[in-house]
Amino acid sequence: MNRIGIDLGGTKIEGILTDEKYATITRKRVPTNQEEGYSSILELIKSMVLELTQESDDKFSIGVCTPGALSLDSGLIKNSNTQCLIGKDLQNDLKNILHCDISIENDANCFALAESKLGSGKNSNLVFGVIMGTGVGGGITINGKIHRGRTNIAGEWGHHCLHTGGNSCYCGNKGCVETYISGPALEKNWSNLSGLNQSLPEIIQNSDNPNFDNWKKIFLDNFGLALANVIDILDPDMIILGGGLSNIDFLYDEGKDAVYEKVFSDTVDTPILKNTLGDSAGVFGACML
Ligand SMILES: [Zn+2]
């Protein structure tokens, strides 16, 4: 059976049709147009599925990858930064317009799944996948399957508490990982230290600035503590970094050292690797659901 994966992002919707072995048959991409609302997103997905399948009579499955999660109680989307999806019954609404079953999964879980099957985590048993970008998330796969946990929150690393009573988070708690090592959090910290409003790539280029070393030290301390906690609890075979921040080279040497020095073991050697699928992890993860 062929597979369709849809990556429903805040700015673009990407769709892919693959064969059983995830070889790409065709691929499409359109802007999300959030301002036109939920029904327009449903229509975009419907026309994308029709386009992807127009030259094929084969049967197919459909998986959708999106930020946020399905509430275990209601089945409705929650915690999504594509805000017009919040509180919507995306799964059933898509089922009704496409007349087939739909699987929906959180983007960090899709990332971990795709990387563990086709990317840097190929042939590994326990993979912890991390997305560090505008938000911070994590996903766990065991033997190539997503580990969701009892209430679907396994791997929600972005909202574990790094500093008691720390920065306020939109989730209502304080001190969440996301408020320290997401792109916006790091840019804010740079602005506080240097007085400059710069994007993360600009900050990385600005390493001669007298505030840079201090900014980097705080970043690495938080990165190290956040991932050392994961290793202490999960002891994964590897950690794979995704999202915009995965392009920061020092995370793979100095960042790794900052993690290792905080792990409760004298033999820590957990690989911390860059993803290999890049932006495509979402669509591939979705078609594997
Ligand atoms: Zn939070």
Side-chain angles (χ1 to χ4, degrees):
M1 186 163 71
N2 288 340
R3 295 164 174 269
I4 289 178
I6 306 277
D7 184 3
L8 177 48
T11 55
K12 62 165 175 65
I13 301 176
E14 187 155 8
I16 195 169
L17 174 70
T18 76
D19 66 15
E20 268 177 41
K21 294 184 174 157
Y22 313 118
T24 305
I25 298 170
T26 177
R27 194 165 177 158
K28 307 269 174 200
R29 179 185 279 212
V30 293
T32 304
N33 290 335
Q34 273 201 63
E35 54 286 353
E36 287 176 32
Y38 179 63
S39 54
S40 123
I41 289 180
L42 293 178
E43 283 305 315
L44 283 173
I45 294 175
K46 182 180 175 184
S47 48
M48 180 168 273
V49 169
L50 292 176
E51 276 183 53
L52 288 170
T53 55
Q54 67 186 357
E55 284 165 20
S56 164
D57 294 326
D58 294 340
K59 287 197 150 198
F60 54 85
S61 63
I62 303 182
V64 177
C65 161
T66 182
L70 288 184
S71 163
L72 199 62
D73 293 335
S74 62
L76 308 181
I77 299 267
K78 60 177 187 176
N79 300 346
S80 176
N81 60 6
T82 303
Q83 293 188 358
C84 65
L85 298 179
I86 294 176
K88 301 294 187 191
D89 192 353
L90 182 63
Q91 193 161 27
N92 275 317
D93 291 342
L94 284 177
K95 187 177 170 181
N96 289 337
I97 60 169
L98 293 167
H99 310 293
C100 60
D101 286 334
I102 309 281
S103 304
I104 295 185
E105 191 53 73
N106 159 285
D107 56 347
N109 284 351
C110 286
F111 169 78
L113 181 62
E115 285 292 332
S116 72
K117 286 196 169 184
L118 294 179
S120 302
K122 232 168 153 179
N123 305 320
S124 293
N125 291 333
L126 207 171
V127 170
F128 188 69
V130 162
I131 294 187
M132 294 168 67
T134 310
V136 173
I140 300 165
T141 59
I142 302 173
N143 296 329
K145 291 204 168 85
I146 295 169
H147 174 72
R148 296 185 177 81
R150 180 177 163 93
T151 60
N152 279 355
I153 64 153
E156 283 286 5
W157 177 66
H159 296 273
H160 100 251
C161 181
L162 204 54
H163 299 294
T164 311
N167 295 337
S168 295
C169 184
Y170 78 87
C171 75
N173 290 331
K174 287 192 168 197
C176 295
V177 169
E178 181 166 303
T179 69
Y180 292 91
I181 58 169
S182 64
L186 289 162
E187 287 166 1
K188 190 174 165 202
N189 197 28
W190 176 247
S191 167
N192 291 340
L193 288 170
S194 70
L196 298 169
N197 289 315
Q198 292 184 305
S199 69
L200 202 55
E202 289 170 330
I203 300 169
I204 302 293
Q205 293 294 318
N206 205 353
S207 59
D208 291 337
N209 186 293
N211 297 291
F212 184 81
D213 287 348
N214 190 21
W215 173 83
K216 184 173 165 186
K217 182 183 181 310
I218 297 168
F219 176 14
L220 290 180
D221 279 349
N222 286 320
F223 176 78
L225 182 56
L227 281 181
N229 289 345
V230 171
I231 294 175
D232 281 343
I233 294 169
L234 210 54
D235 198 3
D237 293 315
M238 63 180 57
I239 293 170
I240 304 174
L241 306 185
L245 277 70
S246 68
N247 294 316
I248 300 176
D249 292 334
F250 66 67
L251 291 180
Y252 302 94
D253 41 41
E254 293 164 273
K256 190 168 78 172
D257 293 342
V259 176
Y260 284 9
E261 71 187 32
K262 295 179 180 68
V263 173
F264 179 68
S265 169
D266 55 357
T267 57
V268 55
D269 65 353
T270 315
I272 296 179
L273 305 174
K274 192 170 180 175
N275 64 81
T276 50
L277 297 171
D279 280 353
S280 298
V283 276
F284 279 109
C287 75
M288 290 170 184
L289 295 173

